[in-house]
């Protein structure tokens, strides 16, 4: 590992700006002059376009702004990074945030890339998902000391989320395929497929998904990456990052999501889309609805932000409360949902219809492929 004190931030080969370690180990960010003229704000509230030097005051992210922290892996991805570095005698905890970003380089989630790149990803066309699933299980169980971490890192070292996953090429497009965690049922992928199917039928803008075949279970859940389009990266920022907070603390309400939509979304119908997602999560029992599971993408054609397609939709019976409260309630009911509709002046009739449609789909839909 090289010691890094300055990093170039790029977006589809365009220079966005610079991250640099300053006095007292603070980290400064400054947009490139050309980006200020022709680019866009990569974090609408925290990093408006200007030639200022920005220094984060957030108690989270070790001095980074949330938008850069979004690029770093968490959960499974961070687990792989830690294991890979430990095998090479490198202590992950001693790496600076800039050094961690350069490990991800151009393979992070979203559209931002970081140079110098300290580790190249090697393309691997081995698409044996059953074998990859078994290898991840062995690593999670720590049953082997000689696992090929490099291969798994190439497949999933930039991933976020708790469940193991791999990044693959399918039909010449980039997809993410999930495997079960240690305590998951063998058919957790099928369960997520059904959840996404129902959400789609509830008119939620669900990310394109499919069930990949397996010889050991009903299949692996896969979703096409919405942060890639026409071979180009798409800038994405999570709700948590926009508000400079961490999704690991349950400190947000759906009210915050609707507020942000009002402020930055170029499509005000996103308010109704958010209402559908909130209502589905509450009625279906998806309580893993934290601030990193809602994101916004920058639409370069429309010159503004809008909600990304919905993702990480599943049932979480093991969670007793929602990560994000509704109207201040961590165990919300229909009255709480409609209170949000009233607060943001959404049509009561339309929102009541959304709730009834979701309830009917949940009750009547048969779980079949």
């Amino acid at each position: 590992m090289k010691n890094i004190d300055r990093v170039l931030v790029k977006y589809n080969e365009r220079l966005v700006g610079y991250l640099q370690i300053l006095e007292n180990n603070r980290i400064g960010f400054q947009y490139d002059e050309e980006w200020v003229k022709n680019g866009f704000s990569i974090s609408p509230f925290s990093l408006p376009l200007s030639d200022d030097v920005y220094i984060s005051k957030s108690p989270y992210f070790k001095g980074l702004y949330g938008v850069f922290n979004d690029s770093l892996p968490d959960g499974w991805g961070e687990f792989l990074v830690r294991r890979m570095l430990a095998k090479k005698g490198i202590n992950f905890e001693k790496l600076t945030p800039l050094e961690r970003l350069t490990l991800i380089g151009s393979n992070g989630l979203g559209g931002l890339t970081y140079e110098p790149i300290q580790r190249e990803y090697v393309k691997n066309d081995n698409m044996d998902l059953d074998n990859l699933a078994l290898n991840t299980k062995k690593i999670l169980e720590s049953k082997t000391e000689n696992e090929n971490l490099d291969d798994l890192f190439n497949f999933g070292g930039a991933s976020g989320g708790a469940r193991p996953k791999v990044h693959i090429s399918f039909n010449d497009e980039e997809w993410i395929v999930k495997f079960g965690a240690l305590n998951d049922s063998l058919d957790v992928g099928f369960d997520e497929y059904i959840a996404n199917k129902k959400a789609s039928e509830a008119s939620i803008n669900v990310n394109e998904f499919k069930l990949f075949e397996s010889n050991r279970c009903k299949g692996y859940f896969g979703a096409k990456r919405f942060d890639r389009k026409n071979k180009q990266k798409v800038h994405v920022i999570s709700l948590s990052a926009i508000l400079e907070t961490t999704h690991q603390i349950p400190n947000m309400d759906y009210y915050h999501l609707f507020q942000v939509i009002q402020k930055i979304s170029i499509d005000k119908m996103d308010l109704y889309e958010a209402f559908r997602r909130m209502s589905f999560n509450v009625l279906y029992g998806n309580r893993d609805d934290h601030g990193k599971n809602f994101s916004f993408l920058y639409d370069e054609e429309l010159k503004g932000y809008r909600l990304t397609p919905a993702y990480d939709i599943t049932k979480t019976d093991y969670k007793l409360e929602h990560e994000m409260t509704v109207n201040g309630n961590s165990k919300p009911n229909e009255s709480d949902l409609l209170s949000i509709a009233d607060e943001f002046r959404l049509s009561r009739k339309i929102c009541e219809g959304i709730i009834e449609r979701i309830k009917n789909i949940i009750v009547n839909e048969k779980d079949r492929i």
Side-chain angles (χ1 to χ4, degrees), residues 330-347:
S330 60
K331 296 180 179 179
N333 52 38
E334 291 181 33
S335 177
D336 293 310
L337 298 175
L338 292 171
S339 291
I340 295 289
D342 292 341
E343 180 69 30
F344 290 90
R345 298 182 179 180
L346 302 182
S347 164

Side-chain angles (χ1 to χ4, degrees), residues 254 258 274-283 326 337 340:
Y254 275 91
F258 283 81
F275 187 85
R276 280 190 289 271
R277 296 184 192 185
M278 174 181 68
S279 299
F280 186 87
N281 287 342
V282 169
L283 297 170
V326 180
L337 298 175
I340 295 289

Side-chain angles (χ1 to χ4, degrees), residues 94 112 137 193 243 250 257 270 332 343 354:
K94 292 185 178 181
L112 300 180
K137 186 172 185 291
Y193 172 81
L243 298 177
L257 172 62
D270 275 351
E343 180 69 30
I354 288 172

Side-chain angles (χ1 to χ4, degrees), residues 83 87 135 138-139 141-148:
R83 288 286 291 269
K87 204 168 182 181
N135 284 341
K138 287 178 182 178
I139 289 176
E141 293 175 339
S142 297
K143 286 186 175 180
T144 175
E145 295 295 325
N146 299 311
E147 66 272 7
N148 193 337

Side-chain angles (χ1 to χ4, degrees), residues 1 78-93 95 103 119 135 139 143-153:
M1 289 287 300
E78 184 178 307
F79 173 81
L80 281 181
V81 172
R82 287 176 177 272
R83 288 286 291 269
M84 184 198 70
L85 292 176
K87 204 168 182 181
K88 300 177 186 298
I90 300 172
N91 186 343
F92 178 82
E93 293 297 334
L95 299 182
L103 274 175
R119 189 185 193 285
N135 284 341
I139 289 176
K143 286 186 175 180
T144 175
E145 295 295 325
N146 299 311
E147 66 272 7
N148 193 337
L149 285 169
D150 285 335
D151 275 355
L152 284 172
F153 187 81

Side-chain angles (χ1 to χ4, degrees), residues 145-212:
E145 295 295 325
N146 299 311
E147 66 272 7
N148 193 337
L149 285 169
D150 285 335
D151 275 355
L152 284 172
F153 187 81
N154 285 330
F155 273 112
S159 298
R163 285 172 55 195
K165 51 186 65 71
V166 292
H167 297 191
I168 67 168
S169 177
F170 176 72
N171 288 341
D172 202 31
E173 294 176 313
E174 294 188 51
W175 284 65
I176 295 176
V177 180
K178 297 183 180 181
F179 303 134
L182 281 180
N183 295 325
D184 286 332
S185 73
L186 194 61
D187 291 321
V188 64
F190 178 77
D191 295 339
E192 187 166 357
Y193 172 81
I194 292 299
N196 278 259
K197 186 169 178 284
K198 291 184 177 182
S200 180
E201 291 179 4
S203 298
I204 292 173
N205 178 25
V206 180
N207 194 36
E208 185 177 341
F209 63 95
K210 76 182 299 292
L211 198 65
F212 286 84

Side-chain angles (χ1 to χ4, degrees), residues 9-14 16 71 105-106 108-114 225 227-228 232-237:
V9 182
K10 292 188 174 182
Y11 176 63
N12 290 322
E13 304 304 322
R14 295 170 59 195
V16 176
S71 299
S106 61
L109 301 176
L112 300 180
T113 62
Y114 305 90
R225 294 184 64 167
D227 59 348
R228 302 289 185 266
Q232 294 289 301
K233 299 178 187 297
V234 177
H235 178 59
V236 173
I237 181 170

